[in-house]
Every structure is written in C-alpha cells, then in structure tokens.
Amino acid sequence: MKKGIYRVLAIVVALTMAFMGCIAFAEEETIKIGVSAALTGPAPLDGERTMQGINMAVEEINAAGGVKGRMLEVIVEDDQNTANIAVNVINKLANDPEIVAIVGPHRSANAMATEQIMADAKVPFLTGASSPNLVTQVDNPYFFRVRGSDSFVGEIIAKFALEDIGATRIGVIYNNDDYGTGGRDVVVNYLTENGVEPVVVEGHNTNDTDMSGVIIKCRNAEVDCLIVYTHDPEAAILTRQLNEMGLDVPVVGPTTFTLPTYLGLVTAEETEGFYSVCDFVSGNPDPLASEFQQAFNEKYGVDPDLFAACYYTAIYVLKDAIERADEITREDIQQALLETKDLPSVYGTLYANEDGELVHSAVVAQIVDNTPVFSTVVHE
C-alpha cells in the first residue's frame, strides 16, 4: 500500500517538476526586444501611442504562434524625451545580452545621442527619428529608420509649397535640434535649387514659449507661405501666436501637424490652411493601413497616429527579420534587416536601402476642422 502511495507521489512530483520546467523554458525562450519610449516628459501621449502600437503588434504576433515558435517580449524603459535620460536607457538595454534588438528612441536628437552606444554593442535599433543627419553625419550599420526620411519628406514639403500653393515668398521656421535643422537644410536647398530664395529662415529652441519675434519678421517680409519644422508643443505655440498676430498664410510642415498632442492644443480656426506631409494618417485607403486603423480604433477607442503606426510597423519589421535570420542573435538579425525587401506594411511596401531606411513614401494631408484629411500618397 505504501509503495503505491510513494509511486503516486513520485509521479505527481515528476509531473510538477516537468510542468515548472516547461514554464521556466517558456520564459527563458522568449525573444526580448528593448523599447526606449517617451512615457513621460513634454509629450507623454506620444509614448502612450508608441506603446499601444507595439503592444498591439506583439499581441497579434504571439497569438499567431510567435516567431520561430518563441513568444516576443518587450522590455520597456522611459526615456522622457530627453537625450541624457535616453543615453541611460539605451546603455541599460544595450548591455542586456538577452535583448536582441532595440526599438527607439524616437526624437532625432535622442537617436543621435545614443546611436554610437548601439553601434558599440552591435545591437540593431529601429527608430522613427527622421533627421537626415542620422545618415549624412552618422555611419552606423545597426541603424534602421521606420519612417520616411526628412531628406525625402522635406523635398515634398518644399515642392508642395511651390507647386500646389504657388508660393514665391516663403518663410522657414525650424527647431534648432537635429530634427529641425535637418529638415531646414533639405527645404532651403530644394527651394534655392528651384529658383526661390526663402525670405526668412529663423530657428528657435525646444521649450521656447514666445514666437512673436519670428512672426514679426515674417510679416515684415510679406511671406505668402510658411514652412515649419518643429515639434508638437512649439508648433502649437507658433500656431496660436500666428492667429493672435494676424499672420494668415498657408502653413506646410511634416507629421507634427497631424499629431493628437498638437491638435489637442490648437483650434480648427487656428489650423485652417495648414498642410502636412506625413507618413501615416487615418483615412488612407490602402487595405493594410485601413485594416490597421480599424483594429487599433476597436482596441483603444481612438484612431492611430504616427507613433502607433511607426512602432507597430517596427515590430513587424523585426518579426520578418527574425524569421529570415539564421540564428536569433543581434548580428544575424542586423544582417536580415539589411536584406529586407518587398515587405507589405501600413506604410506600403518596405525595403532597406544601404542606409537602413525602410520607408520610401509619404502621405499628404490637409487639416480640415482640426482633423487631418488624407489627400494622396507620394513615392520617392
């Protein structure tokens, strides 16, 4: 009798240990992806949308069986949208040997401040940072951009101002950081090469709250169009003060003017006559973009923005690379990312060029009743 009880106990113990071993194995076998996101700081909604896009992609992929039989797991750190904290975050993520790739940081200045850390650690990173400086001033084979570069977007903005608006006296207002100066250079070069010298080219600093000086310069120069390259909070201040000071001209800019943070700080009256050349906007008739918008809205109760679309796409780009990689290592994933081609996405078909840029199209949107309205898609 006792032998029978011992035998049953032994079987129970063995099964329990096997079960615990399976749990440990499953936890051990997740594919870890580091994320540097702006969960707090001047634009926390950007970080919230970033994580919603990432989490939605991870949930979809894991529900479908994961990648190579392993679940994806994200290790998230808050970079607060500042360079010094982003450096600390990336050091922590890059030094974790279990993390095979990093997503973020987003802002160009933060990506510029951290890219060498990731190069030294030989960890591939995917970012929505769009400054051309990340290519023209950086030689990093581990850098991959999951948005249209401002080397392309800036030209479309300038071309739109010239050809669609018919502007001849253009003012250029930009942020003095890497994002703004990179966009400024592309815009000014394109205008100049096409015979139009901007009548005002004026920068401002992040967190500036008074734009009246540059507005007065633009008004005195009788500008007939403004091209603005800056971030959400500064763009909102500029928009309000343009309205208050009565400078009523068309405004063309990048994705900034389609973002919920910006649109939540301004009114429909203030954004009348504004245009945005961006990488994603709701209403895009492309089937994948439309399906993504519907699924995101059903899940979170809001339409997706740039951050949601960009980092949702980043996870699927990594999924594709990991599936094609020989081994799930940083080096093999980096090589697979470089070989990305013909990958369907909410941004159209993706492919990696020699600089690691994956997105090669942009969307033109008009702001109507303080809402971005899809107009057309422009390809490189």
Side-chain angles (χ1 to χ4, degrees), residues 9 19 100 115 141 169 185 187 217 232 256 267 327 344 374:
L9 287 174
F19 177 72
V100 297
E115 58 86 16
R169 299 185 62 79
D185 291 345
V187 166
K217 285 186 179 181
D232 322 16
T256 298
T267 66
E327 301 289 341
F374 174 86

Side-chain angles (χ1 to χ4, degrees), residues 211-227:
M211 305 289 181
S212 59
V214 67
I215 294 173
I216 290 171
K217 285 186 179 181
C218 290
R219 189 168 59 192
N220 291 343
E222 299 181 344
V223 301
D224 58 6
C225 176
L226 284 176
I227 292 177

